[in-house]
Amino acid sequence: MKASLKLVKTADDRQIAAFFEESVGEWHSERRYYTLPQGETKEMESIITIRFLEQGCEELEKLAQLHNLVDLQSLTCGAEVSWQSTDIIKVRRESQGLTLFGALGNLLYRDRGFATSKPVTADYYLSNPQTLCLRTEYNNSVFEEEIKLIGSKYRTRQSIISRASEQLMIGQYLEKRI
């Protein structure tokens, strides 16, 4: 008898909360961006800090306001992600910042996008309890990301940025818990 593997896409409040809670802490992120089709690469190193946000907290209420949600308590949970990044090749600080995520149904509300400072939403699902998949669309671009927890000490991430059905950039990340 053959065993079959069934992948289930979910947007369960408990699962996204568990994923955010398991991601809490400081991470050392090494990443490489490939610009397509030329294949130019950029190597970055970051320190990422993730904090879990509970329903009703001040940050999620502000996020709900940014998105004009009627019920400011509606976001069920979230995460605050801050980072400091350095270009490894040029040995210079590249960027630093902070972004908020708040979950409601199968949407993640964000205070800013990857390439915009304006609030955006991302469709999300968990292909399993350790793997979060996001799809965000704005400014005629599509941003697809997969974040996978590997045990308690590692995460991998992959981002693909496309415009007009053409892939423009691929980012690959290995993150180690500090």
Side-chain angles (χ1 to χ4, degrees), residues 88-155:
I88 293 174
I89 294 168
K90 296 177 182 173
V91 192
R92 71 170 191 222
R93 179 154 291 159
E94 192 73 17
S95 70
Q96 65 182 38
L98 181 138
T99 190
L100 301 174
F101 295 84
L104 178 60
N106 67 341
L107 289 178
L108 280 181
Y109 290 81
R110 299 180 61 179
D111 64 335
R112 59 176 295 143
F114 181 77
T116 181
S117 58
K118 295 179 181 175
V120 298
T121 58
D123 292 314
Y124 85 91
Y125 67 91
L126 290 120
S127 59
N128 64 60
Q130 287 75 42
T131 307
L132 174 63
C133 301
L134 307 167
R135 180 182 173 93
T136 311
E137 296 184 41
Y138 56 88
N139 296 340
N140 298 316
S141 296
V142 176
F143 303 83
E144 295 174 286
E145 187 167 19
E146 178 187 86
I147 306 167
K148 183 174 192 138
L149 296 165
I150 302 171
S152 62
K153 296 181 183 174
Y154 300 96
R155 294 179 359 148

